[in-house]
Amino acid sequence: MRKITIAKGDGIGPEIMDATLKIILAAGANIEIEEIEVGEKVYLSGNTSGISEASWDVIRRNKIFLKAPITTPQGGGYKSLNVTTRKFLGLYANVRPCMSLHPYVSTKHPIMDLVIIRENEEDLYAGIEHQQTDEVVQCLKLISRPGCEKIVRYAFEYAKQQNRKKVTCFTKDNIMKQTDGLFHKVFDEIAAEYPSIENEHWIIDIGAAKMAETPEMFDVIVMPNLYGDILSDVAAQITGSVGMAGSSNIGETCAMFEAIHGSAPRRAGQNLANPSGLLQGAILMLNHIGQSEVAEKVQNAWLKTIEEGIHTYDIYKEGTSTAKVGTKEFADAVIKNLGEKPSLLKPVNFGNTAALNLPKYQRKPAQKKVLVGVDLFVHWSESNPNELAAIVQKLETAEVSLSMITNRGIKVWPNGFEETFCTDHWRCRFKPKNNAAFEKTSILNLLESALTQNIDIIKTENLYEFDGISAYSLGQGQ
Ligand code: NAD
């Protein structure tokens, strides 16, 4: 018996949660339920996070959380409970299956059945942003080896458990050779451990275009946070049934499952809402806790019900649908179909597999790290790079010289183009003369003389080699 936490949420939440629980319990889900309150009432009682300390304790104790949608009150500094939960509980994997239900839900892609697995914690979403000059602001894109290993392994383990044939990776590593390059490298390393699952990598731009045009080419797609945020909405939208999708947020110890739609307050309390999105979340939960047989039974009964044309108002269509039903009647129809399989829609086969095998990240032995130079970023409001070179060359010493200046990554000195547009944010790269060793004290000396010469350094980045390989970007055009 697996104990889980549930929250019925707001609006249509309680109705779709009751329907979902009734279905999965009838299918034989081996769960014990502990309910907490989150959402509007908690927010309006003065708690800006929408959840009490006692409820956190319950979620952390049970580790598995099935959450109905909640209403976030407008204004008043209320924080999104989803973002808070994801960050506090370290829910690093966001999983969103996107499947079309042709001909019951209109779509241009009748045979689409893919799963987007999105890294959920890092990338540009680390939220580290700074304004550095009058004209330039910066957002740090952080990609870590543990972050990549965890999400890529999750994608392959998920594919294995779900009998999926292929995992595709999307990155932009032709441009971001260090960050996206690491994600791609880790993908290749981990893919090699799963020889029975096909793997491939696409550059995100053409990959996204292919996904939008021929989604049937893809099975499981894994990607960094920002790309996944955007493309998981595109994928859900083109199935034609955003309102019927579920998602999971998975961490090392805890996981949260939900519908992707909101609390639809105008439909609340009328036995109208479609419980399918939350039911899809519950199916992901059952697979996650190793109750795949039950998950499979529920999914096939649900597909059969959709196929019989028994539809809630939101997908009801004259000609295709056979009965317009309420939330409760839809749940009863699914329960009646438990044990049945769809005949036109493809039945699922989740198998009777164990929970995913996700070992803890093991830190690798330290690499040989050698300092080989420094980039000094300078705020300078003139426009001729040759003049700036003359100014910063005054910082040179017997050991260290200026090797390059870039502006927004493009080399503007030496031998820049007059046509290149320059902002007030300049990267001045200093390297040791004659390939000599570069010491940290050289950086201090450069900063000290910049201070005395009124050169406005707004940040520095150390240049390293790891195991003899340069680990920093060159200037474009260098
Ligand atoms: P919404 O998803 O609640 O509703 C959008 C439209 O879809 C409405 O017309 C609604 O009636 C319909 N709809 C949604 N789910 C349905 C269902 N299961 N059955 C039938 N029809 C359904 O989005 P919204 O109106 O932008 O947001 C309403 C509230 O939900 C807001 O307070 C928002 O903050 C919240 N919200 C919560 C979550 C969450 O808890 N995960 C996610 C999104 C929005």
Side-chain angles (χ1 to χ4, degrees), residues 15 25 36 90 101 173 203 213 216 239 265 392 398 418 444 458:
E15 295 160 77
L25 289 170
I36 56 164
L101 295 165
D173 67 340
I203 298 294
E213 193 199 40
E216 61 276 13
T239 62
V392 293
E418 269 174 28
L444 294 179
I458 45 97

Side-chain angles (χ1 to χ4, degrees), residues 21 29 102 153-154 179 186 200 210 261 278 285 287 305 310 321 340 376 419 438 460 469:
L21 293 176
H102 172 80
R153 187 167 298 287
Y154 187 86
T179 47
V186 169
E200 63 180 10
K210 289 272 182 204
H261 62 72
L278 189 60
M285 175 187 79
N287 272 317
T305 309
I310 302 174
S321 308
E340 306 272 336
L376 303 184
E419 293 86 343
F438 191 88
T460 67
I469 296 169

Side-chain angles (χ1 to χ4, degrees), residues 12 16 67-72 82 243 258-267 273-274 313-314:
I12 58 170
I16 60 173
K67 179 181 141 301
I70 59 163
T71 302
T72 310
N82 266 0
E258 59 186 345
I260 68 175
H261 62 72
S263 57
R266 282 187 306 124
R267 308 289 178 187
N274 187 345
Y313 83 91
D314 54 313

